[in-house]
Amino acid sequence: MTLTLTVSDEVRALAPGFTHVAIEAEGLVNGPSTEGSSALLDDAARRLAVRLDGRAPHEDPHMAAWREAYTAFGSKPSRTRNSAEALAKRALSDAGLPRINLLVDVYNAISVAHLIPVGGEDADRIEGGMRLVRATGDEDFVTVAGGAEAVEHPDAGEVVWCDDAGVTCRRWNWRQGPRTRLTERSVSAVFLLESLAPMPVPDVERAGAELAGLLEKFSPGARITVHAPA
């Protein structure tokens, strides 16, 4: 793959401590959730509980930084939580973490265990490069509402991931569009681990290395490239 990821100067100015680690993978094997992926999610919830030691997820310094970033671009973080905080709340609830499919379970487990937003995109569904920008408000975000396809538009100034076809994820990492989601038919993917200061960059790298190791475990023979933090 020759996927290009860029972060705009406007986003860098909004969150100077932003770092992301990208992992590209080809030859993946996906499918329904398994006992192995379910066990990963259970273990991640236990690791999260130890990490928080009785605190709520939003009280963690890293999650607090994400709340500040969301507030800075006009989003209410108590209503539209970053993906890691939203997963953490579910992990600590009686309902627990959802089981989606093998690959999504794997990256959700890393997100919860390390309390870091992690996303997965089907590389074969991405058009052109991926860009993290502040929206003009005119971009298309194709989603599903009431069982039917619907087109939304981000707020002006909202931080979004997009490609040449439109927005792939709204409010930084809050809601992914269905076009690029990992399905049971996905064989190529790009995974993004996103952090803000005060999370140390080596912590992000460790989370990325753990994710790469799990991808190799569940998809033997897959070609996996872990990019340097950027």
Side-chain angles (χ1 to χ4, degrees):
M1 288 182 284
T2 56
L3 182 67
T4 301
L5 293 97
T6 57
V7 179
S8 72
D9 292 341
E10 291 78 11
V11 173
R12 294 289 188 192
L14 178 77
F18 174 64
T19 300
H20 70 274
V21 168
I23 299 173
E24 293 186 78
E26 296 179 284
L28 294 169
V29 177
N30 201 8
S33 300
T34 65
E35 288 186 7
S37 70
S38 184
L40 277 179
L41 291 168
D42 289 339
D43 181 62
R46 288 190 290 269
R47 291 167 66 181
L48 174 68
V50 171
R51 183 190 191 97
L52 291 175
D53 192 23
R55 294 173 298 163
H58 70 267
E59 295 176 293
D60 178 86
H62 190 214
M63 295 298 93
W66 276 104
R67 285 194 166 213
E68 290 176 6
Y70 270 48
T71 300
F73 66 77
S75 183
K76 294 182 178 179
S78 59
R79 293 180 58 187
T80 54
R81 296 178 176 87
N82 74 81
S83 64
E85 184 182 334
L87 276 176
K89 276 184 66 69
R90 295 194 67 171
L92 298 173
S93 71
D94 291 339
L97 289 165
R99 274 58 174 166
I100 307 297
N101 60 53
L102 181 60
L103 289 175
V104 175
D105 290 353
V106 167
Y107 79 71
N108 278 349
I110 294 297
S111 177
V112 170
H114 292 268
L115 206 52
I116 180 173
V118 182
E121 306 278 352
D122 189 323
D124 294 327
R125 304 302 302 276
I126 296 169
E127 298 189 22
M130 291 183 64
R131 303 177 296 280
L132 186 65
V133 302
R134 300 197 70 175
T136 64
D138 296 325
E139 299 90 346
D140 288 343
F141 177 71
V142 180
T143 185
V144 175
E149 185 176 285
V151 178
E152 299 177 354
H153 303 284
D155 299 326
E158 180 182 324
V159 177
V160 297
W161 278 103
C162 61
D163 66 2
D164 290 351
V167 174
T168 59
C169 195
R170 285 198 60 187
R171 292 178 186 152
W172 211 318
N173 47 47
W174 168 66
R175 178 181 291 170
Q176 183 184 29
R179 172 171 60 90
T180 59
R181 284 179 185 160
L182 292 174
T183 70
E184 293 181 14
R185 297 181 299 278
S186 299
V187 294
S188 298
V190 57
F191 300 91
L192 284 172
L193 298 89
E194 301 180 293
S195 72
L196 295 172
M199 175 173 272
V201 173
D203 287 3
V204 188
E205 292 179 296
R206 278 191 287 273
E210 185 176 348
L211 176 54
L214 289 173
L215 294 173
E216 291 172 349
K217 174 183 176 181
F218 285 97
S219 293
R223 298 175 297 283
I224 297 169
T225 303
V226 181
H227 295 277

